[in-house]
Amino acid sequence: MRVLVELFDRDAIKNVLGACAFTPEIVVFLCDTHDATFFKESAIYRLFKRRKMKTMPRFYYFDATDPDEIRMVLAAVVRDYPGCVFDFSGGSDLVLLLAGVGFAKGAMPGYYIDMAGGRLIDLRGCAGLAEAFRMPVFSAEDIFVMTGATIQGHGHFPQQEMDDGHEWDVLTVFEMVAESPRAWGSFVAWLQAFCAAGPAKALELEGPRLVRAGESPLHANTALLRRLHAAGMLESLEIGHGQVRLRFKSLWHRKCLLIEGIWLELFCYVAARRSGFFDDVRTSIVVDWDGVEGGNDNTKNEVDVFLLRGITPVFVSCKMSVPTALAMSEIKLLSVRFGGGMSRAVLLTAAALGDEHKAMKARAAELGITFLDRSACTLEQLGKALGAIAEGHRK
């Protein structure tokens, strides 16, 4: 294929699937002058560069509500690029309709990509392409770059720090968290106040069993402290009548033990990784909407867990307590903005959702959000549930 013509679509992945599958010499994008909501030319250039593609993009702009202008642009493209192949997988309704009419009258080749089925449908002259077609493999970076955004680090720690030993620690600590999320929350509140009295990065600390956060007294949960010590999260532990002396295993362990909700995120990450179902698994990634590195005023969001199966991104928000309406809105916005029509939005909570939460679950279903509660928080069940969601079988 020398020249591919794309009818530009708001769903970013529809614009690049064909190019990434076939790497033509040129891709001609037909774009509406009035719709730049989800589009920047730089996003296409950055994606092609990331994937080391030599494909050159070309952009034709026109009024997508003017039939005469649409016909004129379509004629110009066919004239300028004889033998070009049309991709009918995207495009606004009127552009797609008029391009289809022109296609029916002309002789240029064309195809349609069935994204859900992972196949290319030959409309005319593309039987060879259909046979050779394989769905491109994308990374988390690719998914965000194609929408004009970029991943700018991690909210808690670099993902490279997660090794097999850390994964084992996650499973060990999460067992304690899942037994009683409320008790764990109280323990973290005490530990935060206990550590606040010492140096910021000290591994070894000594202080009172009873500390205060504001006017509230906080008592050390000695049972949890002993379990953490037995599990190796604390290298040493001495509990006296009124004092506690402890030493964290590492700065990573200190940081994680001071964040109440991080263990649910990490457990979800480990469950997804160990399921073997996903092509890419990330936790706590910071996304810059504008994709401009170094900007101080850019809009940024943190995604608790991001999963990718083929071209299906799964955005997971993790909440220790019952999620709020705001949490539902946020995860839905992120999944639509950066994942497009193939994306899935998930709310994972350590709380148990019963009949009293029917209205909230119904609202989530209306928004296309899948709820997973405490009942799904086992390694095998959570991995299977996330895999089923990526396949489109919402529960």
Side-chain angles (χ1 to χ4, degrees), residues 300-353:
K300 296 181 181 180
N301 282 96
E302 185 174 337
V303 181
D304 292 340
V305 180
F306 175 84
L307 314 172
L308 187 62
R309 167 73 170 184
I311 59 170
T312 301
V314 181
F315 294 76
V316 186
S317 176
C318 301
K319 303 295 179 185
M320 289 297 294
S321 56
V322 177
T324 63
L326 178 59
M328 285 194 284
S329 298
E330 286 179 344
I331 195 62
K332 184 61 180 179
L333 173 63
L334 291 175
S335 69
V336 171
R337 172 63 178 85
F338 300 115
M342 293 294 290
S343 69
R344 305 284 187 265
V346 178
L347 268 171
L348 173 64
T349 175
L353 300 181

Side-chain angles (χ1 to χ4, degrees), residues 161-197:
E161 292 184 12
M162 281 292 290
D163 55 22
D164 291 341
H166 285 134
E167 288 192 11
W168 178 255
D169 291 343
V170 168
L171 300 180
T172 302
V173 175
F174 186 74
E175 185 177 341
M176 305 178 204
V177 176
E179 284 179 10
S180 177
R182 181 173 295 181
W184 182 261
S186 299
F187 169 72
V188 172
W190 172 84
L191 191 61
Q192 289 171 345
F194 177 83
C195 291

Side-chain angles (χ1 to χ4, degrees), residues 86-283:
F86 271 73
D87 181 351
F88 288 92
S89 307
S92 63
D93 291 345
L94 185 57
V95 175
L96 188 57
L97 174 64
L98 293 177
V101 170
F103 175 78
K105 293 179 179 179
M108 65 276 202
Y111 66 77
Y112 171 85
I113 296 177
D114 172 13
M115 295 199 300
R119 63 192 180 119
L120 184 145
I121 299 172
D122 172 26
L123 300 179
R124 182 170 57 223
C126 294
L129 295 179
E131 185 176 342
F133 177 76
R134 299 291 182 274
M135 195 66 81
V137 177
F138 293 109
S139 66
E141 284 81 4
D142 290 336
I143 294 297
F144 288 100
V145 163
M146 70 177 64
T147 60
T150 190
I151 296 176
Q152 290 196 347
H154 298 78
H156 299 306
F157 53 83
Q159 193 154 315
Q160 292 83 349
E161 292 184 12
M162 281 292 290
D163 55 22
D164 291 341
H166 285 134
E167 288 192 11
W168 178 255
D169 291 343
V170 168
L171 300 180
T172 302
V173 175
F174 186 74
E175 185 177 341
M176 305 178 204
V177 176
E179 284 179 10
S180 177
R182 181 173 295 181
W184 182 261
S186 299
F187 169 72
V188 172
W190 172 84
L191 191 61
Q192 289 171 345
F194 177 83
C195 291
K201 294 186 178 181
L203 291 181
E204 190 166 340
L205 293 154
E206 184 175 5
R209 290 174 60 170
L210 175 64
V211 297
R212 290 189 174 275
E215 297 182 358
S216 302
L218 300 170
H219 298 268
N221 187 323
T222 56
L224 277 175
L225 282 169
R226 290 191 174 97
R227 288 181 68 180
L228 289 169
H229 179 230
M233 305 302 110
L234 303 176
E235 283 191 344
S236 62
L237 174 67
E238 298 174 17
I239 301 176
H241 290 295
Q243 293 288 109
V244 172
R245 184 182 182 88
L246 58 82
R247 181 178 179 82
F248 293 101
K249 183 177 180 179
S250 70
L251 285 175
W252 184 91
H253 290 81
R254 171 185 164 130
K255 183 174 183 178
C256 291
L257 286 170
L258 290 175
I259 304 173
E260 180 184 359
I262 195 173
W263 299 100
L264 182 60
E265 295 178 27
L266 293 176
F267 181 74
C268 180
Y269 168 82
V270 172
R273 274 199 57 176
R274 294 198 175 186
S275 72
F277 188 80
F278 295 97
D279 303 312
D280 203 347
V281 180
R282 307 291 181 95
T283 180

